[in-house]
Amino acid sequence: MNENETGTHPIPVPDMKHAHVPGMAAYDQLVAEAEADHSGYWSRLAREFLTWKTPFTKGLDDSRAPFFEWFEDGTLNVSYNCLDRQVERGLGDKTAIIFEADDGQVTRVSYRDLLARTCRMANALKARGVKKGDRVVIYLSMSIEGVVAMQACARIGATHSVVFGGFSAQSLRDRIQDVGAVMVITADEQLRGGRQLPLKAIVDDAIALGGCEAVTDVIVYRRTGGKIAWDPSRDRWLHEEMQNQAESCEPEWVGAEHPLFVLYTSGSTGKPKGVQHSSGGYLLHAALTMKWTFDLKDDDVFWCTADIGWVTGHTYIAYGPLALGATEVVFEGVPTYPDAGRFWKMIQDHKVSVFYTAPTAIRSLIKAAEADEAVHPKRYDLSSLRILGSVGEPINPAAWKWFHQNIGGGRCPIVDTFWQTETGGHMITPLPGATPLVPGSCTLPFPGIAAAIVDETGTDVPNGQGGILVVKKPWPSMIRTIWGDPERFKASYYPPELKGYYLAGDGAIRDAQTGYFTITGRIDDVLNVSGHRMGTMEIESALVSCTDLVAEAAVVGRPDETTGEAICAFVVLKGPRPSGEEAKKIANELRNWVAREIGPIAKPKDICFGDNLPKTRSGKIMRRLLRSVAKGETITQDTSTLENPAILEQLAQRN
Ligand code: 6R9
């Protein structure tokens, strides 16, 4: 078998009779329970996993489909469920967070401390007038304060919107404005890989761009003590705000449907979508998947390496682990600093037992380990590991096998978890004590998730035949709407031709024998670069907004060994087509321009200049041809509808 092909012989399940879902019979039973009574199944779990202030009387309400509601008349508080509840059941002294800073310094926070800090921050927000239903933007790097800020918003019923610390002032401004934030919580600077990077200065720039008039306060966590500008009418130090606040704060009891957060993600148009999540249904799935997918036990040490700026950091750092009373590692830095052995050293030092990371990190660490024996995982004691997880993009079988052997010692199951910002938590994933594994396949739907593969008319396709991934029934942690744009929500996720099924936006195929799912990649104009979602249209608009230079631009993805996909931009300049050194110089200028407009993660890897772009006679850019050019393929496709076939050759020369 080719190293990179999906295997067809499932790897048997290790002996895990104490697993929460111990074996396929237990899995089948859960699936059958959900099939027999979908709403009843989820309601049972919502009663078992969450503490309600007012119990709900109904599970699913589909009367306003596709705006589904779950447990609607129940009330609860998410932060109560994550913190107070753990203290009440005797876990006050248990470590909630082991924080490791960029420089290696370790801070431990118990559940009792985390609750006290959350209450003080919640009281501080209230003192500045933040109330239930207000939106708060959080622009922070990985920190205890980041988690506390999210929990504090949840405690007072404010809806948070975390913006990844790598986004530019422009992107931050767009999000602050779209969500209508009244407050921004940030830090003076962030520390990553030994470097100090600005945060507060970017908030200042974002606000200066205009449109953020609703923001009355900018709360600043002092991380580095670096020099920053200060506007006394608006800027406040977090430590001063928290200083005299009480360590208790009555939770705001909210309805299950109350928006816990809005998180922006890329779609197939230029404007990012504000994905709105609920409180009850969301937290249920965060807790449930923590328990079943990671088979989480009381003495586990869980580490999810994502950033709180992405959905993985929401569900599997800020909420899921705490909802179960787990101990988790939170890491400020990067996997390659001070060297590429950092992850392995941290697993060894903190005796991590469940490790959840992204294929792109694994692939780059494989390269590093192969280049330098000193950072090879075999130099570290990884025997504490029990379960490994992967998320964000397909994991190629070669990387899967390396992860399994070199990190998991051949004994730890890998859960390849397929899900999305919109789904709130895992959708298709192995359960470690039940599902035989196949490298490269995310295997089977989580019990209660009605995942299926259909054609363009919503008709099921047989196993072995690829199609469009859908979810046939609503589930509790699903997206509720796009913030401020319900029509776009309907059009994006519930197109009329798909019979009321949720459209994931990915293609998939089920194995003819096992029925296992393999995700074949996005079917829309969304790229996945190092597990980060990016719309080609967003990058195109950023490029053409450089009006001094750019006349036209088209962006496509091409496969990349390390980052999964790489961004490839085809650009027509206003001036003549550059070559040689000049082309390099302009390409660099454009890369920096995109970094300023969106953020460094959106920088195109390749920039090719042409006199024109391949277009149909009606003037449509033929992206499918550009995708082939980007891959370096010879064009075998039909080009007869092209207005200007000669352009392909020019672009293929790749300056
Ligand atoms: C959680 C997260 C979602 C997109 C999704 C798909 C890709 C995520 C995957 C995977 C194959 C997996 N994706 N997990 N593809 N196997 N295990 O990543 O959310 O940032 O919204 O991205 O990522 O293409 O549609 P998000």
Side-chain angles (χ1 to χ4, degrees):
M1 192 180 77
N2 175 319
E3 265 275 272
N4 248 328
E5 265 169 35
T6 305
T8 41
H9 304 292
I11 297 172
V13 182
D15 185 14
M16 285 181 62
K17 47 183 172 305
H18 300 294
H20 292 303
V21 182
M24 277 318 268
Y27 170 84
D28 290 338
Q29 204 179 332
L30 291 165
V31 171
E33 182 191 344
E35 265 170 20
D37 177 5
H38 191 66
S39 176
Y41 163 82
W42 286 112
S43 299
R44 168 176 79 77
L45 294 166
R47 286 186 197 102
E48 274 172 31
F49 277 79
L50 303 180
T51 302
W52 297 84
K53 180 72 172 172
T54 327
F56 57 88
T57 61
K58 54 176 192 270
L60 170 65
D61 179 351
D62 56 7
S63 58
R64 292 199 315 121
F67 299 93
F68 300 103
E69 297 188 331
W70 286 89
F71 323 122
E72 187 269 326
D73 61 351
T75 65
L76 80 172
N77 179 279
V78 167
S79 127
Y80 173 85
N81 270 274
C82 292
L83 303 174
D84 310 55
R85 193 164 62 141
Q86 315 309 354
V87 175
E88 285 166 18
R89 65 187 180 107
L91 299 182
D93 293 326
K94 183 174 178 178
T95 300
I97 294 178
I98 304 170
F99 175 71
E100 183 162 319
D102 193 54
D103 66 1
Q105 207 182 337
V106 175
T107 312
R108 287 188 163 71
V109 188
S110 68
Y111 272 93
R112 196 186 320 285
D113 286 350
L114 195 61
L115 171 60
R117 284 166 81 150
T118 298
C119 287
R120 286 173 57 203
M121 192 172 322
N123 286 327
L125 301 192
K126 283 210 285 198
R128 288 289 167 195
V130 181
K131 53 187 191 311
K132 179 181 170 187
D134 285 346
R135 276 83 58 206
V136 172
V137 161
I138 298 173
Y139 187 65
L140 275 169
S141 53
M142 290 298 292
S143 52
I144 298 165
E145 282 66 20
V147 176
V148 169
M150 293 164 82
Q151 288 284 344
C153 287
R155 193 160 194 94
I156 63 174
T159 298
H160 60 69
S161 188
V162 184
V163 177
F164 175 60
F167 276 117
S168 67
Q170 178 85 43
S171 300
L172 176 61
R173 193 282 304 264
D174 293 348
R175 286 157 176 77
I176 293 173
Q177 188 175 27
D178 190 77
V179 86
V182 298
M183 177 183 271
V184 178
I185 304 176
T186 189
D188 49 0
E189 294 178 316
Q190 56 178 325
L191 262 182
R192 284 168 67 81
R195 293 198 304 152
Q196 289 174 221
L197 304 165
L199 284 174
K200 167 68 163 60
I202 295 173
V203 174
D204 293 342
D205 289 350
I207 293 177
L209 286 168
C212 308
E213 287 67 33
V215 175
T216 51
D217 300 272
V218 174
I219 308 288
V220 186
Y221 160 53
R222 185 184 276 158
R223 173 64 189 99
T224 64
K227 215 173 134 26
I228 52 173
W230 200 258
D231 174 350
S233 72
R234 168 198 91 185
D235 298 342
R236 346 245 166 232
W237 285 112
L238 177 65
H239 58 271
E240 287 176 7
E241 295 292 297
M242 282 173 67
Q243 212 160 38
N244 298 317
Q245 298 296 345
E247 290 194 347
S248 66
C249 170
E250 174 67 11
E252 180 79 39
W253 305 105
V254 300
E257 284 297 317
H258 182 72
L260 176 65
F261 66 87
V262 172
L263 182 61
Y264 286 83
T265 190
S266 296
S268 46
T269 71
K271 191 172 182 274
K273 311 188 258 202
V275 173
Q276 179 181 322
H277 276 287
S278 70
S279 297
Y282 171 79
L283 191 65
L284 166 61
H285 206 53
L288 179 65
T289 50
M290 265 316 289
K291 184 150 179 175
W292 290 359
T293 307
F294 297 118
D295 188 44
L296 204 87
K297 303 284 168 45
D298 289 344
D299 54 357
D300 272 316
V301 176
F302 177 76
W303 182 17
C304 165
T305 66
D307 191 287
I308 51 166
W310 309 116
V311 74
T312 306
H314 281 57
T315 308
Y316 300 106
I317 294 176
Y319 293 113
L322 303 177
L324 283 197
T327 296
E328 64 170 326
V329 174
V330 173
F331 177 41
E332 180 178 44
V334 298
T336 48
Y337 178 82
D339 61 42
R342 184 71 182 263
F343 274 7
W344 322 137
K345 180 167 189 310
M346 284 180 62
I347 291 171
Q348 169 181 289
D349 289 353
H350 303 302
K351 301 201 166 39
V352 171
S353 57
V354 183
F355 179 61
Y356 191 33
T357 194
T360 184
I362 298 167
R363 286 192 298 263
S364 68
L365 295 175
I366 294 176
K367 260 204 215 161
E370 283 171 355
D372 180 4
E373 275 280 300
V375 296
H376 197 282
K378 68 183 177 214
R379 307 278 299 249
Y380 300 85
D381 176 6
L382 305 179
S383 60
S384 57
L385 287 170
R386 206 164 73 72
I387 288 164
L388 304 175
S390 169
V391 60
E393 55 179 315
I395 174 161
N396 52 306
W400 194 104
K401 286 173 195 160
W402 187 91
F403 196 33
H404 191 245
Q405 275 311 317
N406 291 276
I407 309 305
R411 58 171 209 286
C412 305
I414 298 178
V415 289
D416 175 0
T417 60
F418 168 82
W419 60 295
Q420 308 173 295
T421 304
E422 294 87 341
T423 69
H426 303 152
M427 299 300 278
I428 308 179
T429 177
L431 303 183
T435 323
L437 303 172
V438 170
S441 165
C442 51
T443 76
L444 296 170
F446 192 86
I449 300 298
I453 302 179
V454 299
D455 64 17
E456 286 82 4
T457 65
T459 310
D460 284 301
V461 302
N463 287 359
Q465 199 175 309
I468 302 170
L469 181 65
V470 296
V471 187
K472 291 189 169 178
K473 295 179 189 167
W475 67 101
S477 66
M478 67 189 298
I479 173 175
R480 293 307 193 261
T481 188
I482 292 176
W483 182 263
D485 200 348
E487 286 309 313
R488 188 171 177 203
F489 165 76
K490 273 202 273 188
S492 309
Y493 303 108
Y494 286 93
E497 63 279 10
L498 287 186
K499 302 182 177 164
Y501 302 158
Y502 166 84
L503 171 66
D506 282 286
I509 183 166
R510 297 187 74 156
D511 183 82
Q513 273 93 49
T514 56
Y516 277 16
F517 286 74
T518 294
I519 306 297
T520 50
R522 299 287 305 191
I523 53 172
D524 52 13
D525 292 322
V526 171
L527 304 183
N528 191 325
V529 182
S530 295
H532 299 152
R533 255 170 88 166
M534 227 112 46
T536 52
M537 292 274 287
E538 277 171 78
I539 306 167
E540 284 171 16
S541 343
L543 284 168
V544 296
S545 75
C546 184
T547 48
D548 285 351
L549 284 175
V550 178
E552 224 180 348
V555 170
V556 298
R558 66 159 173 82
D560 181 276
E561 252 188 37
T562 308
T563 58
E565 268 186 301
I567 302 168
C568 189
F570 294 91
V571 176
V572 182
L573 294 182
K574 288 192 166 156
R577 185 168 78 103
S579 59
E581 283 308 308
E582 204 206 344
K584 272 195 202 139
K585 191 178 135 263
I586 299 182
N588 262 335
E589 258 174 65
L590 291 177
R591 280 191 194 98
N592 293 335
W593 175 274
V594 173
R596 258 198 317 276
E597 288 291 299
I598 306 176
I601 53 170
K603 277 188 186 180
K605 185 157 186 180
D606 308 339
I607 296 187
C608 312
F609 296 102
D611 292 323
N612 203 341
L613 297 171
K615 287 181 195 149
T616 62
R617 280 171 230 283
S618 59
K620 268 205 165 122
I621 299 172
M622 306 250 323
R623 283 162 213 280
R624 126 184 108 74
L625 296 177
L626 287 176
R627 273 192 281 271
S628 297
V629 175
K631 274 192 221 163
E633 288 173 355
T634 358
I635 309 274
T636 50
Q637 303 150 46
D638 180 15
T639 55
S640 58
T641 53
L642 263 191
E643 171 79 45
N644 50 348
I647 197 68
L648 290 175
E649 216 164 295
Q650 185 188 73
L651 291 171
Q653 286 167 9
R654 301 288 205 91
N655 19 44

